[in-house]
Amino acid sequence: MKRLFLVMAVLAVLTTTVFANVQDPRTPIELGVKDTVPYASVTRDAPAYEFFTNPVTIIDNFYDYFPGSYTGSPMQRVEGALNGNWIVYHTKATASSNRRVYKAFVDATGNVVSNIAFGTNDIWEGYPGVAVTPQGKPVFAYHVNLDADSDLEVGFGYDAVIGGSVIEMHSDLLQILDNPASVEVNGETVETNEFIWPSVQLADSPMGEGYYRVYVMAKNATTNGGAVSENVYVVYKDVSEMELESWAIDATGWGSTTIPTLDEWNVSPVEWRRPFMAFKAYEDKIYYVGYHLAYTDSEDGETIDEPTLDIFECDNYGEGTWVHHSIHPEMEIENPAYVDPTTGEDLVPANYYFLDENDEPYTEGELTLGVGQSGHFNVSIDAMGKIHMPLFYTIETNEATYYPGLHVVKDLSFDTNTHYFNIVDVYPSAGFNPMNFTSNTTGSYANPTIWKWWDQDGDGAVDEVLDDGSYDGVDDGVTAEDTDYWGRPIVASIWPYMYWDSAAADNAMMFHLHTAHITEANEQGMMAMVWQDSEKARLYNNYPDDYPEYADYAQMCDIVISVSQDNGVSWSEPIVMNGVDTPELAANAEIPEFPYPSNKIDFISEDTEAGTKLGRLYMFYLDDDTYGSSVQTIGQETGGQQKYFAIDITFPPATGTPVTSSDVEVATSMLNQNYPNPFNPETTIAYNVVKNGEVKLNVYNVKGQLVKTLVNADQNAGGHTVVWNGVDNSGNNVASGVYFYKVENGGRSEMKKMVLMK
């Protein structure tokens, strides 16, 4: 146990610069050192693994920041006559050169078959995405300036694969999205948009067998309102293998769509909504998946009470209507009390671990378990039609603060058939109950038994406290006279960021240097989730006298890999790899950063008696010469190497039971808050019909009297809107005041409040 007392202190407020302020207005709080211990599982072992292909260098790279897509998968598995992985990335050959986009093909044995720049012009390019047809033909998109103005455009291209061979021929770069682009928002044309950072998807085509619909999604870098809202622009086109092979695809005939709700967020002059989302095409639908932050304004705003886990769904191959599915991500969590080491009971008089800015304990409802820094991720689909998204959860307070040292990794899934949400622990995991909680419409949860930093065995009691040795047999150097610490719960700390210093990059390190990626499920239900961790570096650099055992990790990042063999129902204890403990990485003193898994696991074999499966995971990552990201003003601009490896992992037995529709409550929120609110003379109410059939939507006054029937009809499931112009059922204008609107459908109802102000 560490002997240094360090009271919890609030970190400096997120940077005063406008740039960092618009990323995330919440303030991080640092934990103490005496009352924290690095998390280490005592109930699970990491899966066995061995290298199939040792690290192979693809190219030198002086651009040490997200070499692939922010929210896509830059590495795509190809099987058949062409057997290997397509990889797209950006790189700088020297510290002073342009950032260029490259495409590489590495065969299944680790040989770099091809690695060339896509374009022929030496100009600034970046953030490529890739998708691959069943025959192994890759299609690419990235942003680059293709005309005379200063805005970047989105370019599209494709590669020739003939007879199962890579022949290093590719199409011209086609300009498929010209910026600045215009978007219609509530009848007005907004012309100042720059849609960049593209990702690429391939899915079914309305033209039938032999065709695919290519979707390219780009995010808006322009702020047209009160927040960096990053609404999106999606372009699409139907293509065939023959057209790709004969170079018949051009820049004409592309359709497009935008998400109206996100367009409105982008132009809102006051409200601050920042989405963090990733794109997925599946069958005849496209999805935009993630979460958003919501504040009343960009300067000292209050949190808007609304669901913030989001699924935007568009049918008819992207040509239909966008429907918004959303739930509250938060669940209330208790403030653990100090425990009397002599009795095991809560200390009297009571004291609590989490204190507010006035050093008063947070009370019921003021602490929640919610989404923390989780902005860089992709989404995937499993064998049962569920979309999966990695999320970092942490403890948040009602004072817009959070605890980054208490982040944990979870898997959010969304059933595309039933529209149910589910959230499960990945790391750490409550092994006693791997299906942790399923959300309902209220933001509370059907099963609140989850892994907690102070109660890792789930028995409802604090595991360990600071004491004089009578509680756990360890002398902490704390006695009953130390009233600030005696009996204080000890929490496990986790740091899922690439770098150790929370104040780096102008106090925006945690925004810029976190990432998590997840593979698709293969036919056997095998998946992997990959992220980074720097807890050992954080502890040593901040407290070298207290953690001398971590000196070798002072300039080191971990790659962390958790696997599932049951479509994400349960996840393994993770594999941890770094340039100190992993011989294959330590051989060249590697500092692994920005890891991307290939989109799919190879199934090798199965041991039915042991319940294990053997799978091969392919990885693409940066081996940085100096720890950090010089692009984000962290570390030196000394370059590194883009590398590739493959490991064979023994997937442990599944421990969870799949959740079916009979096990959970419907998760889709039925009512959204009316907009605007307060309103005069009219307001729009958006609502979700959860079951085909009768729908009633009525307005009531504060006495519960019916004022206006807005909807009384049969409607199809999905999103709908209705406008109330402030008149009652008799056609009379109603008075200013508070009104309630209630929707009823499928045996359920929801009600919200609105204000008419004249």
Side-chain angles (χ1 to χ4, degrees):
M1 198 63 62
K2 306 305 168 186
R3 295 182 178 274
L4 175 64
F5 287 116
L6 190 68
V7 179
M8 290 192 308
V10 176
L11 289 174
V13 175
L14 288 177
T15 180
T16 56
T17 65
V18 173
F19 175 75
N21 185 50
V22 298
Q23 311 302 341
D24 188 339
R26 296 173 296 181
T27 302
I29 300 177
E30 188 168 296
L31 299 169
V33 61
K34 189 173 185 62
D35 49 44
T36 62
V37 294
Y39 169 74
S41 175
V42 295
T43 60
R44 304 191 303 173
D45 293 324
Y49 74 94
E50 62 180 7
F51 275 77
F52 174 76
T53 301
N54 285 346
V56 174
T57 297
I58 298 174
I59 200 170
D60 290 335
N61 191 354
F62 277 81
Y63 197 85
D64 56 356
Y65 182 67
F66 280 100
S69 172
Y70 280 133
T71 56
S73 177
M75 187 177 186
Q76 296 285 313
R77 183 75 175 95
V78 178
E79 297 180 90
L82 185 66
N83 188 10
N85 287 276
W86 282 105
I87 305 172
V88 296
Y89 61 93
H90 57 223
T91 181
K92 290 174 62 176
T94 67
S96 59
S97 62
N98 275 320
R99 187 183 68 193
R100 300 293 311 283
V101 166
Y102 275 66
K103 60 184 181 69
F105 186 81
V106 183
D107 71 19
T109 63
N111 295 314
V112 181
V113 175
S114 174
N115 181 46
I116 59 174
F118 190 90
T120 58
N121 296 322
D122 185 14
I123 56 178
W124 193 263
E125 307 164 332
Y127 298 100
V130 61
V132 176
T133 73
Q135 294 185 22
K137 294 182 175 65
V139 295
F140 311 93
Y142 56 90
H143 65 230
V144 57
N145 195 344
L146 296 173
D147 57 22
D149 62 41
S150 61
D151 285 321
L152 299 169
E153 278 67 51
V154 173
F156 173 83
Y158 48 98
D159 203 282
V161 174
I162 300 176
S165 298
V166 178
I167 58 175
E168 293 194 341
M169 291 179 61
H170 52 254
S171 70
D172 294 332
L173 188 65
L174 310 175
Q175 181 175 305
I176 59 172
L177 206 166
D178 184 15
N179 288 309
S182 297
V183 174
E184 295 291 325
V185 187
N186 294 328
E188 300 290 334
T189 300
V190 180
E191 298 179 344
T192 52
N193 302 286
E194 185 180 17
F195 294 99
I196 55 176
W197 304 304
S199 61
V200 189
Q201 295 280 309
L202 279 176
D204 295 344
S205 165
M207 296 182 67
E209 186 175 355
Y211 281 84
Y212 320 102
R213 178 154 284 192
V214 178
Y215 300 92
V216 178
M217 183 278 296
K219 300 184 179 186
N220 198 355
T222 302
T223 302
N224 290 305
V228 181
S229 275
E230 290 186 3
N231 54 322
V232 296
Y233 201 99
V234 182
V235 296
Y236 51 82
K237 187 171 185 175
D238 299 302
V239 303
S240 68
E241 296 274 2
M242 182 63 69
E243 288 172 324
L244 291 171
E245 193 164 300
S246 60
W247 312 101
I249 309 301
D250 59 25
T252 63
W254 290 75
S256 65
T257 183
T258 66
I259 303 175
T261 299
L262 295 186
D263 294 338
E264 292 173 5
W265 291 359
N266 181 262
V267 301
S268 174
V270 177
E271 292 180 330
W272 195 108
R273 286 183 175 89
R274 174 70 190 264
F276 300 93
M277 310 188 76
F279 185 54
K280 187 65 186 176
Y282 177 60
E283 296 181 339
D284 63 342
K285 297 181 176 66
I286 56 177
Y287 300 86
Y288 199 45
V289 183
Y291 72 100
H292 73 274
L293 303 175
Y295 293 86
T296 54
D297 60 66
S298 60
E299 296 292 335
D300 301 321
E302 298 292 329
T303 301
I304 299 174
D305 183 14
E306 64 185 18
T308 54
L309 281 181
D310 305 293
I311 309 288
F312 291 95
E313 175 186 21
C314 187
D315 61 2
N316 194 26
Y317 306 92
E319 299 179 48
T321 301
W322 285 95
V323 177
H324 186 194
H325 309 280
S326 60
I327 60 170
H328 289 272
E330 305 88 3
M331 65 173 294
E332 290 187 13
I333 195 165
E334 75 272 17
N335 192 351
Y338 282 36
V339 174
D340 188 334
T342 63
T343 66
E345 303 294 330
D346 288 355
L347 197 63
V348 178
N351 203 350
Y352 295 88
Y353 188 87
F354 296 107
L355 304 179
D356 64 19
E357 60 183 10
N358 298 316
D359 290 332
E360 294 294 330
Y362 288 104
T363 58
E364 184 177 357
E366 295 181 339
L367 291 174
T368 56
L369 182 65
V371 179
Q373 295 282 7
S374 301
H376 303 121
F377 59 88
N378 72 317
V379 295
S380 67
I381 198 86
D382 71 20
M384 299 184 293
K386 292 188 299 181
I387 295 174
H388 290 260
M389 175 179 67
L391 279 177
F392 294 161
Y393 263 65
T394 189
I395 293 180
E396 302 175 299
T397 79
N398 65 333
E399 298 176 317
T401 58
Y402 69 104
Y403 296 86
L406 299 183
H407 270 96
V408 294
V409 185
K410 295 186 183 291
D411 173 24
L412 167 71
S413 63
F414 175 78
D415 193 314
T416 59
N417 300 303
T418 66
H419 293 170
Y420 295 138
F421 292 79
N422 193 59
I423 305 175
V424 62
D425 284 344
V426 176
Y427 172 76
S429 176
F432 51 85
N433 184 16
M435 294 308 300
N436 303 128
F437 49 89
T438 300
S439 53
N440 61 29
T441 58
T442 64
S444 60
Y445 294 89
N447 183 356
T449 307
I450 61 169
W451 185 94
K452 296 173 184 175
W453 298 261
W454 54 86
D455 178 20
Q456 299 183 47
D457 57 11
D459 64 357
V462 171
D463 295 335
E464 187 180 2
V465 300
L466 294 172
D467 60 81
D468 63 358
S470 60
Y471 186 80
D472 59 7
V474 176
D475 184 356
D476 310 306
V478 176
T479 66
E481 287 72 30
D482 300 316
T483 55
D484 287 341
Y485 287 93
W486 193 68
R488 181 177 176 85
I490 295 173
V491 301
S493 59
I494 300 164
W495 195 256
Y497 308 111
M498 194 199 81
Y499 198 66
W500 62 270
D501 185 0
S502 59
D506 292 331
N507 289 307
M509 184 281 293
M510 291 173 290
F511 172 84
H512 291 295
L513 298 185
H514 67 270
T515 181
H517 282 73
I518 189 168
T519 70
E520 314 283 358
N522 63 14
E523 293 180 355
Q524 292 75 27
M526 302 165 73
M527 306 174 70
M529 188 185 296
V530 180
W531 65 95
Q532 302 169 106
D533 190 281
S534 294
E535 174 68 341
K536 294 186 287 290
R538 183 183 76 90
L539 292 174
Y540 180 78
N541 284 290
N542 284 332
Y543 319 111
D545 294 336
D546 296 276
Y547 294 95
E549 65 270 31
Y550 293 147
D552 290 343
Y553 305 89
Q555 301 295 309
M556 183 56 60
C557 176
D558 294 336
I559 291 178
V560 189
I561 306 166
S562 183
V563 297
S564 170
Q565 65 153 294
D566 54 11
N567 291 289
V569 174
S570 59
W571 291 87
S572 74
E573 185 70 13
I575 295 167
V576 177
M577 309 174 71
N578 56 53
V580 176
D581 303 314
T582 308
E584 291 79 3
L585 303 183
N588 294 306
E590 293 193 19
I591 306 173
E593 299 172 356
F594 300 109
Y596 297 93
S598 186
N599 66 309
K600 190 172 289 189
I601 301 285
D602 283 2
F603 171 70
I604 306 299
S605 62
E606 182 174 10
D607 186 333
T608 55
E609 183 175 345
T612 60
K613 297 174 183 175
L614 185 65
R616 183 166 298 153
L617 174 66
Y618 302 90
M619 292 283 297
F620 171 69
Y621 67 103
L622 174 68
D623 168 20
D624 207 350
D625 288 348
T626 55
Y627 186 33
S629 171
S630 62
V631 174
Q632 295 298 332
T633 68
I634 303 171
Q636 303 174 44
E637 196 175 26
T638 54
Q641 296 78 44
Q642 290 300 145
K643 290 191 173 182
Y644 163 102
F645 68 69
I647 56 174
D648 289 346
I649 304 172
T650 300
F651 284 55
T655 58
T657 302
V659 172
T660 66
S661 59
S662 61
D663 298 324
V664 301
E665 298 182 52
V666 176
T668 303
S669 178
M670 297 176 70
L671 272 184
N672 292 334
Q673 189 65 51
N674 63 302
Y675 183 84
N677 186 43
F679 69 95
N680 179 29
E682 64 181 29
T683 188
T684 299
I685 298 170
Y687 60 98
N688 287 312
V689 175
V690 297
K691 184 178 181 181
N692 291 346
E694 184 181 14
V695 179
K696 293 181 180 180
L697 180 57
N698 292 316
V699 178
Y700 301 88
N701 61 24
V702 292
K703 296 180 180 180
Q705 299 167 325
L706 177 65
V707 174
K708 178 68 174 179
T709 296
L710 297 173
V711 179
N712 186 7
D714 286 347
Q715 293 185 329
N716 293 329
H720 301 264
T721 61
V722 64
V723 175
W724 184 41
N725 59 2
V727 301
D728 61 18
N729 280 331
S730 299
N732 300 315
N733 291 322
V734 302
S736 297
V738 175
Y739 293 88
F740 297 88
Y741 56 103
K742 179 181 180 181
V743 65
E744 299 175 79
N745 168 248
R748 297 174 53 207
S749 65
E750 281 188 33
M751 181 181 290
K752 286 185 180 291
K753 180 174 65 175
M754 58 183 168
V755 178
L756 173 59
M757 185 179 296
K758 295 184 178 180

